[in-house]
Amino acid sequence: MATLKLNNLRKSFGSVDIIKGVDLEIEDGEFIVFIGPSGCGKSTLLRMVSGLEEVTSGDIWLDGERVNDHTPFERGVAMVFQSYALYPHMTVAQNMGFPLKMADASADEIERKVRSTAEILQLGHLLDRRPDQLSGGQKQRVAMGRTIVRDPKLFLFDEPLSNLDADLRIEMRVEIEKLHKRLASTMIYVTHDQVEAMTLADRIVVLKDGLIEQIGAPLDLYERPANTFVASFLGAPKINFLDATLLDSDVNSSKLALSDGSQIALPIAVDPSSQGQSMKIGIRPEDLVLGEGDFTVPFQMELHERLGPTSYLHGLCAGNPIIAEHRRRGNVDPEEARSLGVDAAQVHLFDDAGVSVKMTLGAA
Amino acid sequence: MTRNPQTANAVTRAVPRSRRALRNRIRKAVPWAVISAFLIFALFPVYWIILIAFRPRDDIFQFPAALMPSNLSLDNIRYVWFGTQTNDPVIGFLGTSLVISVTASVIALAFGVCCAYALGRFRIGGKFLSMWILSQRFLPPIALVVPLYLMFRQLGLLDTYTGLIILYATFTIPIVVWLMLGYVESAPPELEEAAYVDGAGYWTAFVRVALPVLKPGLSVAAVFTFIFIWNEYVLAYQLAGDDVATITVYLPRLRSAIAELYGEIAAASLLSVLPAILFAGVMQRFLVRGLAFGGLK
């Protein structure tokens, strides 16, 4: 159990800046997920927290104590690595007991803790096996067991499920969720998988190029993305962006011109000073429906992709490629799908720098 | 009369098929022929030494030489093992070689693997230190004989175990460093990082986690080092003496001005290669690759 505070944290390798000033406060017992594209610095940030990577500047406070110069062990963190990093020459029991041995625990205590942890993770029958005799999922469990036995202050997970197949991934994701509920420990989890982030996190930290783009609860981020990067990073299929120019706005509505010259009226009020500015309208595929909505956008269907319970309509809207989610089974006639209805409450507007524009739903 | 088209087809296809089979057989036979020829060329001297070692003295100079021995004798082995009036028993020299080879190998491995680990993991010495270490082996050993002789005489190390052990350990450390550097660099650093997180210091992580993973590399380095030291002659000849002489120094002594004891030389040669073969055989057990990656994805 621990609180963590990162204060203007920076990391450079030579002249290359990887982490460019990160401020973050994590509450006791929180499950935080770092998410971002490859090379955004999420793993480096996690390694800095763990103590495996030195800090170039800034401070790390763990439970109110500055731990910049503490070893990983002194910090009381435990880490699950992407590659599991099980000691190949040791048995499962020896692997799980290693941290306790390093802490000079008695043989009895090691035996007892390893057994009880193994029972929790259903590893009891595998204690005498070596890592090369285990499946991917079992290795993953052992790696988790090795972190649990120590009862650490802070759990760190570095893309722990990325080497597992799809089914096992779901299974292990649920296990990690249960583990967090059972232990109620502070956990930081690095992933590039948005499903893992959305399902596991209390709060998600979206990183890009060594900087935090947005922090928030999963649904907050999904529903109120701070910029086009966050909006497009969360959600599959990705959010649709329509290039537009704000023509006019009053308290009830805004008129925008799409890139093909067609005009749409949104029952949304935005700051009139933005008039004449180019913008991006963001609409998630599930917020586009065949038929009427608060307003409609033109649509030219190109492809109907069926996935079973749902299907995706691919096509163009004023020259912008878009995808609409269609929840009814059966064929869709392209001639009938000439326009798509939109729920105004689910629309996102971004300025030409990609930053979310403040807006209010019109009174009408 | 019309021919059955199916039969005609089978006939026309049968010819190329048998030709293809022949071509396949030749393709398989060529590598075997080349390997066999090479093996005969390489192993014939070994076979000849075995033959000479177990032949009575009179048969050694028999002309034309018989490829298969007509009668075998253990006399040469006995002369070499127990010694005669003209030559000392081989056992003492084998013992000296064993003590020096094992001790110097252990020292070289201990220093070499630590050095390789520091170079590979912590990037100590930048890009050039590892090359600088290897550069020590650029010079042929003979070039160093005179300065080494003078140094050893000054330090009282001539004809001593200590002298030869220091010498060989120093000469083989670069080999160990270079061999082990590759293994260190290809071993996953996450294992030691996991150990640090689990509470191990640098030394504990090295000894308890990294070294077991590097075991296959260590075995290779041990075999190379041991065999290099066991077979070294030039430096041993100059710096050893009557008190401490290795097996490689002993062998030429059998070819004295009085008599050329070919049977004894062959027998001693055979006895001298046995420890190296045995050692390589034992170490092969540890050359199991893939152990390092069992704990990873």
Side-chain angles (χ1 to χ4, degrees), chain A residues 47 52 72-73 77-79 81-90 95 98-99 101-102 131-132 139 146 150 163, chain B residues 188 190-201 204-205 208-210 212-213 290-297:
Chain A
R47 288 169 60 84
L52 288 173
F73 189 68
V77 301
M79 187 157 166
F81 290 80
Q82 185 177 3
S83 58
Y84 317 135
L86 300 181
Y87 311 126
H89 53 292
M90 297 184 196
N95 261 284
F98 189 77
K101 203 167 186 178
M102 289 297 104
D132 59 356
K139 283 182 193 174
R146 197 168 62 184
R150 274 178 55 189
N163 294 323
Chain B
E190 288 98 332
L191 291 179
E192 289 111 278
E193 289 178 348
Y196 301 148
V197 174
D198 286 344
T204 312
R208 303 185 76 149
V209 175
V213 171
L291 176 73
F293 306 103
L296 296 166
K297 50 191 164 180

Side-chain angles (χ1 to χ4, degrees), chain A residues 10 17 36 42 57-58 92 95 103 119 124-125 142 145 174 177 187 202 207 221 226 241 289 300 346-347 352-353 362:
Chain A
R10 287 169 189 275
D17 298 329
K42 52 189 188 297
S57 71
V92 168
N95 261 284
E119 289 312 315
H125 61 296
V142 177
V174 174
E177 212 170 345
M187 295 183 174
D202 291 324
L207 286 151
L221 259 58
F241 289 117
V289 290
Q300 195 185 331
Q346 306 302 332
V347 168
D352 53 0

Side-chain angles (χ1 to χ4, degrees), chain A residues 12-311:
Chain A
S12 308
F13 292 104
S15 60
V16 184
D17 298 329
I18 303 296
I19 301 294
K20 300 167 184 168
V22 165
D23 293 288
L24 178 67
E25 283 192 42
I26 298 175
E27 297 296 319
D28 191 12
E30 250 192 316
F31 198 119
I32 294 287
V33 173
F34 291 170
I35 192 170
S38 297
C40 71
K42 52 189 188 297
S43 283
T44 307
L45 190 59
L46 190 82
R47 288 169 60 84
M48 288 162 82
V49 171
S50 73
L52 288 173
E53 208 71 70
E54 272 181 35
V55 170
T56 305
S57 71
D59 299 311
I60 301 171
W61 300 84
L62 194 61
D63 272 343
E65 190 186 0
R66 188 177 174 278
V67 294
N68 283 36
D69 304 320
H70 291 194
T71 65
F73 189 68
E74 287 164 349
R75 293 179 194 206
V77 301
M79 187 157 166
V80 176
F81 290 80
Q82 185 177 3
S83 58
Y84 317 135
L86 300 181
Y87 311 126
H89 53 292
M90 297 184 196
T91 62
V92 168
Q94 287 167 333
N95 261 284
M96 286 168 65
F98 189 77
L100 298 172
K101 203 167 186 178
M102 289 297 104
D104 288 331
S106 68
D108 284 349
E109 192 188 348
I110 295 175
E111 162 97 22
R112 188 168 45 77
K113 282 196 171 171
V114 165
R115 286 230 164 262
S116 67
T117 310
E119 289 312 315
I120 295 172
L121 295 167
Q122 294 148 25
L123 291 168
H125 61 296
L126 302 171
L127 286 175
D128 294 327
R129 293 215 192 151
R130 285 185 196 279
D132 59 356
Q133 297 166 318
L134 302 177
S135 69
Q138 289 167 338
K139 283 182 193 174
Q140 184 60 59
R141 280 205 181 89
V142 177
M144 273 165 38
R146 197 168 62 184
T147 62
I148 297 169
V149 282
R150 274 178 55 189
D151 195 15
K153 283 185 188 174
L154 183 62
F155 283 86
L156 306 172
F157 297 89
D158 189 4
E159 305 205 30
L161 308 184
S162 57
N163 294 323
L164 302 178
D165 60 45
D167 287 345
L168 208 51
R169 240 175 141 144
I170 297 169
E171 199 182 302
M172 291 309 294
R173 200 174 69 209
V174 174
E175 298 253 343
I176 292 174
E177 212 170 345
K178 282 184 189 164
L179 190 71
H180 180 236
K181 287 216 165 70
R182 179 197 282 260
L183 302 172
S185 301
T186 314
M187 295 183 174
I188 305 178
Y189 188 104
V190 165
T191 184
H192 58 262
D193 183 319
Q194 53 163 307
V195 180
E196 283 172 26
M198 296 295 283
T199 51
L200 289 170
D202 291 324
R203 282 194 299 156
I204 295 177
V205 177
V206 183
L207 286 151
K208 184 192 169 197
D209 297 335
L211 286 169
I212 293 178
E213 291 286 311
Q214 194 175 0
I215 308 170
L219 278 181
D220 278 349
L221 259 58
Y222 191 75
E223 286 168 357
R224 284 177 286 281
N227 50 44
T228 48
F229 175 77
V230 176
S232 64
F233 200 79
L234 297 176
K238 281 187 177 182
I239 192 169
N240 301 298
F241 289 117
L242 306 177
D243 293 322
T245 309
L246 182 67
L247 298 177
D248 191 15
S249 181
D250 57 35
V251 289
N252 284 326
S253 66
S254 303
K255 197 187 279 179
L256 289 109
L258 298 179
S259 45
D260 67 343
S262 60
Q263 293 185 5
I264 54 168
L266 271 62
I268 285 168
V270 294
D271 181 4
S273 67
S274 311
Q275 215 164 298
Q277 272 189 9
S278 46
M279 296 197 152
K280 276 189 193 299
I281 308 171
I283 310 167
R284 295 206 179 271
E286 66 269 25
D287 298 325
L288 285 165
V289 290
L290 273 180
E292 296 301 307
D294 292 332
F295 68 96
T296 57
V297 291
F299 185 58
Q300 195 185 331
M301 196 174 113
E302 291 177 332
L303 181 73
H304 185 195
E305 201 179 27
R306 292 173 193 83
L307 301 178
T310 186
S311 61

Side-chain angles (χ1 to χ4, degrees), chain B residues 47-67:
Chain B
Y47 172 69
W48 205 244
I49 284 179
I50 297 171
L51 219 56
I52 293 172
F54 290 102
R55 268 182 177 176
R57 184 167 299 179
D58 296 341
D59 288 7
I60 294 171
F61 297 104
Q62 184 186 338
F63 188 83
L67 280 177

